[in-house]
Amino acid sequence: MKIKTPLFIVFEGIDGAGKSTQANLLFSFCRAISPAVLLQEPTNSQYGKLLRKMLKGEIPGTRDELLDLFIKDRAYDVEHNITPSLSKGYVVIVDRYFYSTAAYQAGDGIKPSDIVRMNIERGFPVPDRVYFIDIEPAIALERIHRRSGDNKEIFETLQTLETIRKNYLSIADSTFAVIQGSLGVEDMFQEVLKDFEKHFVTG
Ligand code: TYD
């Protein structure tokens, strides 16, 4: 079995969709047969650290400030992590990428597709596949409550998650594989793997 490399895979979904679990499972699968890295945005850069504080509501941040910081954090990730790993022929799996910025920071006259375009114009590489874990916002919110109690982040309300999901669906193009997030962890991973093997695994 061989994976077509270099390969750039992204996982996306609203908070509580279960995408990080799926990203981890695919990473374990890939790592057994190919050099691979698993990355996450926001990163641990100075921008990422600031963003995490804003997301928790510990320090204020306007939409424009968030948008600017997510782009700066991504520029850091592309320069230091993504491009070097792709150049080495790795499988690169990223938990959230510019589709998150499009879905979460759209509004006030800026469309999700405008934000995608802005990121592509910045020269950020376009992934080979996006696994979008699609889930009903109400179910996602239940999972968030179970996981983190009252430690909620600023986007974790029903209405906000509904808007974010709609934004994601508005930018879903042919690189997107939509995975039903209502399935259990194992069944969801079988769906991801089926698609992954069809496109990127030979032998
Ligand atoms: P993450 O750590 O992936 O949270 P979770 O595991 O709960 O999905 O992401 C943190 C938050 O950052 C999440 O609410 C989505 C938000 N976010 C944006 O708003 N814009 C972005 O560009 C990115 C990468 C994340």
Side-chain angles (χ1 to χ4, degrees):
M1 206 167 17
K2 204 169 174 306
I3 300 177
K4 292 183 202 162
T5 52
L7 184 61
F8 184 16
I9 301 289
V10 166
F11 279 83
E12 291 284 356
I14 62 173
D15 299 63
K19 69 181 166 40
S20 303
T21 305
Q22 296 300 317
N24 267 290
L25 287 169
L26 187 63
F27 174 60
S28 299
F29 174 85
C30 290
R31 198 172 47 170
I33 40 180
S34 167
V37 283
L38 176 61
L39 304 168
Q40 187 182 19
E41 291 189 12
T43 72
N44 278 325
S45 75
Q46 51 168 322
Y47 309 111
K49 287 185 181 137
L50 198 54
L51 278 164
R52 294 218 178 264
K53 288 194 183 137
M54 288 181 176
L55 292 167
K56 284 192 204 127
E58 288 172 10
I59 49 173
T62 63
R63 200 281 308 272
D64 285 351
E65 283 166 342
L66 285 166
L67 182 55
D68 179 57
L69 282 170
F70 275 117
I71 301 274
K72 288 193 168 122
D73 188 45
R74 182 154 311 119
Y76 174 94
D77 201 23
V78 168
E79 185 187 341
H80 292 90
N81 305 323
I82 298 174
T83 301
S85 298
L86 290 173
S87 302
K88 282 190 273 184
Y90 282 26
V91 177
V92 177
I93 300 175
V94 189
D95 184 347
R96 295 197 183 280
Y97 193 50
F98 58 62
Y99 308 93
S100 282
T101 319
Y104 282 76
Q105 273 71 54
D108 297 337
I110 305 187
K111 290 189 298 230
S113 57
D114 296 333
I115 297 182
V116 169
R117 195 170 336 108
M118 188 191 300
N119 277 268
I120 291 173
E121 281 169 6
R122 286 288 308 247
F124 298 146
V126 175
D128 295 292
R129 200 83 172 131
V130 178
Y131 290 108
F132 174 59
I133 313 298
D134 190 28
I135 191 165
E136 285 291 330
I139 301 175
L141 215 47
E142 256 174 53
R143 287 191 187 165
I144 294 167
H145 283 306
R146 232 178 296 135
R147 191 171 60 192
S148 48
D150 286 334
N151 265 333
K152 285 207 302 178
E153 292 191 339
I154 55 175
F155 298 118
E156 294 169 354
T157 67
L158 190 59
Q159 205 190 350
T160 312
L161 291 181
E162 268 164 3
T163 304
I164 295 166
R165 176 177 183 235
K166 199 166 67 66
N167 289 343
Y168 268 125
L169 293 172
S170 80
I171 51 166
D173 60 15
S174 60
T175 57
F176 271 59
V178 180
I179 306 294
Q180 293 311 319
S182 52
L183 297 171
V185 171
E186 276 308 314
D187 289 343
M188 229 193 283
F189 186 56
Q190 286 316 310
E191 293 292 307
V192 171
L193 205 52
K194 198 166 68 187
D195 181 274
F196 185 82
E197 289 183 326
K198 184 170 125 200
H199 289 95
F200 307 117
V201 177
T202 53

